[in-house]
Amino acid sequence: MAITRYDKLRRMARENFSNETASLVDAALEYASEWLGDRMRYDGRPMLDHAANVAQIVIEEVGLGRNSTIASVLHDVVRLAHKELSSEEFLALTDQIGNRFGKQVVGITVGLANISGLKLKVANEQAENFRDLIVSYSEDPRVILIKLADRLEVMRSLEIFPPEKRRKKSWEAMNLYAQIAHKLGLYGIKSELEDLALKYLEPKDYEHITLKLEESAEERRAFIAKFLVPIEMKLRNLGIQYHIKSRTKSVYSIWNKMRKQRVPFEGVYDIFALRIIIDCPVELEKPQCWTVYSVVTDFYTPNPKRMRDWISIPKSNGYESLHTTVSAEGRWVEVQIRTERMDEVAERGIAAHWRYKGVQQGGETSEQWLSRLRAAMEETTHSLAQRFDAKPASGEIFVFTPNGDLRKLPEGASVLDFAFDIHSNLGAICAGGKVNNRSVPIREVLHNGDIVEIITQKNQTPKADWLSFVVTSKAKNKIKAFMREEQAKHTRMGREELERKLKNWKLPLSVDEAVNYLTKHYKLRLGTEVYALIATGKIDFQTIKDILNRHLSGEAEEERKAAAAEIERQKAEKAAKSEKSERQSSDALIIDDDISKIQYKLAKCCNPIKGDEVFGFITINAGITIHRTDCPNAKRMRENYPYRIIDARWRQNSEGAFRVTIRVVAADTTGMANHITEVISRELKLNIRSMAFDLQKGGIVSGTISVEVTSAGAADALIHNLLKIKGVQRAYRLN
């Protein structure tokens, strides 16, 4: 294929670059022509036409340089090679291109190939994620600019594509590429992408607005001419060099305003804007712009809410301009005031901003330009990644389904997290996956850009150990919910099966008694664990029957007593050691004075207080209760439920009040109650909470006194002093 077909591009290269660069562009055209051969576009024209057109946009409309132009010419070569060649062949090709045209060209073309390989799916909720990912693929910021030029060329030629591709590419242009162009200050490209996309996405609306614009064009021209008469006269008198552009609002902007404000075409007032462009030295830019602003507002009333000063503080993408909206003949007119330099930046974004300052001089200025462009890219969205192999700044990764759906997951997410993110039922039966066509286990950690396929098994169910590696709250919550459901199901099934077997065996045991004994026998914590073992078949019913028969026959009694005695001996040893030093390591529960903040309470059956020897008993519904070792119920609890007994002791340095009840039996003599209260309140300075006495036969009174004491020693001292009162026959603590 003769490269003379692309003489327009070759001429642009000679006009904008050195002779050496122009020769490299020719060489790139020859190389691409040879590699692409007879490959055609949808309309039958050579595929190289697309690359040449992209290169022209890159030079003329974006303002990029040599490497970007050559990369544009070669980008389809690398894209197709990336798709069709083996890894070894592809590396050989890129080495060849690198040796001939430079490593930067290879880097740019590979970045473009990566973006082209993305499977973008038409869905509005995906737009922000895709914008993030497209930028995250761009190690070199020039990749994004060339990709925008590439998509603009595609949209200009969209008629040649099949109908299904037109809609998909239009959606991508409007929701992805136009948004990136906006952030980079490429407003001309942004508007054209949006208008072309609207033409195919909403053809009726596009045609309606276009027709309305044509119908009102003559009236607009007449209005503008009349509006400008006083302004231009004053500017000429002031000696300001300028020219004026009138710009009709883009079809997409009008359509968007009609849709958002729910108004017809006639209801959109700012259909057009006037641009006054000043030709002056850089040092006079700011004062002359404000002078023109003053001229405009001398003749027309400005709307203060629509004033925008981007000259004093330019936008982050380099945009500089003064905007004001003024009223004239009952309609609003937007006026933009800027210089030639500012206008070039506004039309061509950051590339023009740095080119104007001398990017073609090379060296440091080019680096500044790339740095500025990269900074703007990083501002496009909140979770931007600077390069494909880097972690996104927000700690998130972007992962694809095989169909091209994009999912956003936290860094460290596994295949299982991905499965639960797709659907809870898919996560429950996930048995593994394929990441980039490589089989992996469910624990495999995913990375940015992975394409993930889930492998399932019908008999798979969530496991408790899954909680140890999933990171998403959705996965954790679903696994826990499943485990709770399974536990409830096992409890119900296990209990029903055990009840049925007990009836069949005709054993004189209730299901609760049987479960209590089985829990003790298997040294389990809860009865629900017995039910789970039964439901899952981990213990068979013949074994259960044998265990219960041995229990009922008394065969296991001696074993149980021996085991209980051994436990008591071990507990006694521990208690002795703990008495020597509280600092010594122990598993005993420490009873503090403030028992309201912890999950135990003092048993009412024996009313323990500090100083009493105590133990803890794990109840089914009431947490831990603290009993005295001489509690009337202690023996039964130790024998029947040794696995629910825990060591306990009082904290030695704790202080607090315990209520103790003392029973007093005394002779019914005058002033006995007064003597008792005097000993308690005045001598021992203890608080009496209640006191009640009844007259008994034989001139005896008997009653109880509830007193607050600090310890068992204080209670013993109280009893000792009560017994010294004349007439008191007995005094003792109630259990």
Side-chain angles (χ1 to χ4, degrees):
M1 186 192 308
I3 64 169
T4 52
R5 180 183 179 91
Y6 307 108
D7 278 348
K8 182 179 179 181
L9 170 61
R10 298 172 66 206
R11 184 175 64 255
M12 291 174 65
R14 287 193 297 273
E15 291 172 354
N16 287 273
F17 308 129
S18 66
N19 291 334
E20 180 186 355
T21 298
S23 297
L24 281 174
V25 172
D26 287 346
L29 284 166
E30 289 175 352
Y31 186 93
S33 176
E34 181 181 339
W35 202 93
L36 294 172
D38 296 330
R39 295 177 192 249
M40 300 293 175
R41 302 188 82 182
Y42 285 99
D43 61 351
R45 289 185 296 171
M47 183 174 285
L48 186 53
D49 283 10
H50 164 68
N53 291 338
V54 171
Q56 288 174 203
I57 295 171
V58 162
I59 296 172
E60 188 174 27
E61 298 180 54
V62 182
L64 296 178
R66 179 186 71 180
N67 290 328
S68 300
T69 303
I70 296 170
S72 300
V73 173
L74 297 174
H75 82 274
D76 273 338
V77 173
V78 176
R79 176 179 63 83
L80 293 170
H82 187 263
K83 187 187 298 184
E84 298 171 1
L85 300 183
S86 66
S87 299
E88 293 77 9
E89 292 171 326
F90 180 72
L91 286 173
L93 177 81
T94 53
D95 284 344
Q96 188 181 69
I97 292 173
N99 292 332
R100 192 165 179 183
F101 301 104
K103 291 183 179 180
Q104 285 195 40
V105 170
V106 173
I108 294 169
T109 55
V110 170
L112 289 165
N114 281 333
I115 294 177
S116 296
L118 295 178
K119 295 180 179 180
L120 304 186
K121 187 174 181 182
V122 178
N124 288 328
E125 64 272 14
Q126 300 279 26
E128 186 175 320
N129 291 346
F130 277 129
R131 285 197 299 272
D132 287 4
L133 187 65
I134 286 169
V135 177
S136 79
Y137 270 77
S138 305
E139 179 178 336
D140 188 322
R142 288 170 292 193
V143 173
I144 284 295
L145 295 174
I146 298 170
K147 186 61 187 176
L148 290 172
D150 175 276
R151 181 46 58 104
L152 181 59
E153 198 284 332
V154 167
M155 294 303 294
R156 287 172 177 175
S157 312
L158 202 57
E159 195 62 44
I160 72 172
F161 288 85
E164 67 275 8
K165 280 189 173 288
R166 292 178 202 165
R167 184 167 184 84
K168 184 173 186 293
K169 289 185 180 296
S170 295
W171 181 90
E172 294 169 6
M174 181 181 288
N175 293 284
L176 311 179
Y177 295 105
Q179 304 306 312
I180 295 172
H182 176 74
K183 286 293 184 181
L184 296 180
L186 297 167
Y187 299 116
I189 291 178
K190 168 191 177 290
S191 294
E192 189 174 352
L193 285 172
E194 288 173 336
D195 281 2
L196 289 169
L198 187 68
K199 179 179 178 180
Y200 291 96
L201 292 173
E202 302 290 345
K204 291 182 179 179
D205 290 350
Y206 180 87
E207 187 177 349
H208 169 74
I209 295 170
T210 304
L211 185 61
K212 286 286 187 181
L213 286 172
E214 290 173 358
E215 291 174 352
S216 58
E218 190 61 38
E219 184 272 333
R220 279 200 310 278
R221 280 193 288 270
F223 175 81
I224 291 169
K226 184 178 179 181
F227 176 88
L228 287 173
V229 169
I231 295 174
E232 292 194 274
M233 187 179 297
K234 185 69 175 286
L235 292 178
R236 283 194 296 270
N237 291 337
L238 290 171
I240 293 176
Q241 300 296 313
Y242 71 94
H243 69 276
I244 293 175
K245 292 180 183 177
S246 64
R247 179 187 62 84
T248 303
K249 190 180 283 290
S250 70
V251 177
Y252 172 83
S253 296
I254 296 171
W255 174 80
N256 200 35
K257 186 157 286 191
M258 289 167 61
R259 183 170 57 91
K260 286 185 176 179
Q261 297 180 357
R262 298 181 180 180
V263 295
F265 176 87
E266 292 74 17
V268 181
Y269 294 108
D270 51 347
I271 292 293
F272 64 91
L274 293 172
R275 189 174 297 160
I276 303 174
I277 301 168
I278 306 165
D279 186 6
C280 70
V282 174
E283 62 270 15
L284 296 178
E285 285 184 339
K286 190 178 288 188
Q288 288 209 5
C289 284
W290 282 109
T291 298
V292 173
Y293 173 81
S294 177
V295 169
V296 173
T297 54
D298 280 346
F299 293 107
Y300 302 105
T301 305
N303 181 344
K305 294 182 180 178
R306 300 292 297 274
M307 169 65 187
R308 299 290 183 269
D309 174 13
W310 285 305
I311 290 180
S312 301
I313 304 176
K315 287 186 177 181
S316 61
N317 55 27
Y319 181 85
E320 296 173 88
S321 188
L322 274 181
H323 289 197
T324 184
T325 300
V326 297
S327 176
E329 297 183 10
R331 64 197 295 180
W332 291 109
V333 180
E334 182 182 345
V335 180
Q336 299 173 359
I337 303 164
R338 60 179 67 152
T339 65
E340 294 280 4
R341 179 189 65 81
M342 295 175 189
D343 190 56
E344 186 179 357
V345 172
E347 291 297 316
R348 301 172 71 173
I350 291 173
H353 176 76
W354 286 102
R355 187 176 185 181
Y356 194 91
K357 289 189 173 183
V359 161
Q360 289 180 322
Q361 297 171 13
E364 182 180 350
T365 315
S366 277
E367 288 303 315
Q368 287 178 323
W369 168 61
L370 290 176
S371 174
R372 178 73 173 271
L373 181 53
R374 184 176 288 110
M377 284 166 51
E378 289 171 2
E379 294 171 2
T380 53
T381 49
H382 66 281
S383 55
L384 184 65
Q386 290 185 2
R387 46 188 295 162
F388 172 56
D389 59 352
K391 297 171 184 175
S394 62
E396 294 171 331
I397 59 171
F398 304 99
V399 186
F400 289 98
T401 69
N403 294 330
D405 283 319
L406 182 66
R407 317 297 292 199
K408 185 186 288 187
L409 295 170
E411 182 187 341
S414 64
V415 168
L416 189 59
D417 286 297
F418 176 82
F420 274 106
D421 190 66
I422 298 295
H423 197 281
S424 300
N425 293 340
L426 186 66
I429 58 173
C430 176
K434 285 187 177 181
V435 175
N436 305 322
N437 290 320
R438 177 175 59 90
S439 295
V440 296
I442 58 176
R443 293 172 176 263
E444 181 79 6
V445 175
L446 301 176
H447 299 93
N448 198 33
D450 282 345
I451 299 173
V452 187
E453 180 182 351
I454 298 301
I455 298 172
T456 61
Q457 287 182 359
K458 289 184 179 180
N459 60 348
Q460 176 69 284
T461 57
K463 306 292 189 298
D465 69 320
W466 287 8
L467 293 168
S468 66
F469 63 87
V470 293
V471 298
T472 60
S473 58
K474 182 177 180 181
K476 289 180 179 179
N477 291 338
K478 293 298 180 182
I479 294 168
K480 288 177 181 177
F482 181 87
M483 302 306 293
R484 286 193 297 270
E485 289 173 8
E486 285 295 292
Q487 185 179 40
K489 183 172 72 175
H490 288 158
T491 298
R492 186 177 63 254
M493 290 173 56
R495 185 179 178 91
E496 288 173 356
E497 289 183 36
L498 183 59
E499 282 182 324
R500 189 164 53 250
K501 288 295 183 181
L502 288 174
K503 288 180 181 178
N504 292 340
W505 296 334
K506 297 180 179 178
L507 294 178
L509 278 173
S510 69
V511 68
D512 290 330
E513 290 173 321
V515 168
N516 282 339
Y517 185 75
L518 291 170
T519 302
K520 177 173 61 177
H521 177 83
Y522 284 108
K523 295 181 172 59
L524 300 174
R525 193 168 58 89
L526 300 170
T528 53
E529 295 177 77
V530 174
Y531 293 137
L533 292 173
I534 294 172
T536 55
K538 292 181 179 177
I539 52 175
D540 62 89
F541 281 109
Q542 185 57 50
T543 302
I544 292 173
K545 185 178 181 181
D546 291 343
I547 291 169
L548 294 178
N549 277 325
R550 289 178 68 244
H551 167 61
L552 290 169
S553 66
E555 290 180 28
E557 187 67 18
E558 290 304 318
E559 297 174 17
R560 184 186 61 73
K561 286 183 178 180
E566 177 61 20
I567 290 171
E568 287 301 313
R569 186 188 65 77
Q570 292 175 3
K571 287 179 180 177
E573 287 181 0
K574 285 183 181 179
K577 290 177 182 178
S578 66
E579 286 176 4
K580 292 180 181 179
S581 173
E582 187 173 338
R583 295 178 184 175
Q584 192 171 355
S585 175
S586 173
D587 292 332
L589 178 66
I590 305 300
I591 310 301
D592 208 335
D593 54 289
D594 188 0
I595 65 170
S596 62
K597 295 180 182 178
I598 50 179
Q599 295 180 344
Y600 59 77
K601 61 183 180 180
L602 303 179
K604 294 181 179 179
C605 55
C606 57
N607 192 28
I609 61 175
K610 183 188 173 185
D612 289 338
E613 291 186 7
V614 291
F615 66 93
F617 182 74
I618 302 172
T619 66
I620 295 175
N621 298 316
I624 300 171
T625 56
I626 306 302
H627 295 261
R628 286 161 46 187
T629 54
D630 60 351
C631 174
N633 298 316
K635 183 178 180 182
R636 178 181 60 81
M637 287 187 287
R638 290 187 183 281
E639 288 181 355
N640 294 332
Y641 308 100
Y643 53 92
R644 286 159 64 179
I645 302 294
I646 60 172
D647 287 343
R649 67 172 183 270
W650 301 98
R651 187 179 299 279
Q652 292 182 5
N653 59 355
S654 65
E655 294 182 2
F658 299 88
R659 187 171 295 189
V660 64
T661 301
I662 307 294
R663 177 166 290 281
V664 176
V665 179
D668 183 19
T669 58
T670 303
M672 176 59 72
N674 185 53
H675 289 316
I676 292 173
T677 56
E678 190 168 307
V679 167
I680 297 172
S681 299
R682 292 187 181 179
E683 293 182 17
L684 299 178
K685 303 194 183 311
L686 299 175
N687 291 325
I688 299 174
R689 289 302 180 186
S690 65
M691 187 167 69
F693 282 84
D694 293 320
L695 182 63
Q696 305 292 320
K697 293 180 181 180
I700 299 295
V701 292
S702 175
T704 58
I705 308 167
S706 182
V707 183
E708 284 187 352
V709 297
T710 56
S711 65
D716 291 340
L718 170 60
I719 292 171
H720 177 72
N721 280 274
L722 289 175
L723 289 172
K724 290 198 297 183
I725 298 173
K726 187 176 181 180
V728 173
Q729 300 173 2
R730 284 188 296 161
Y732 56 93
R733 274 177 62 186
L734 289 177
N735 292 331

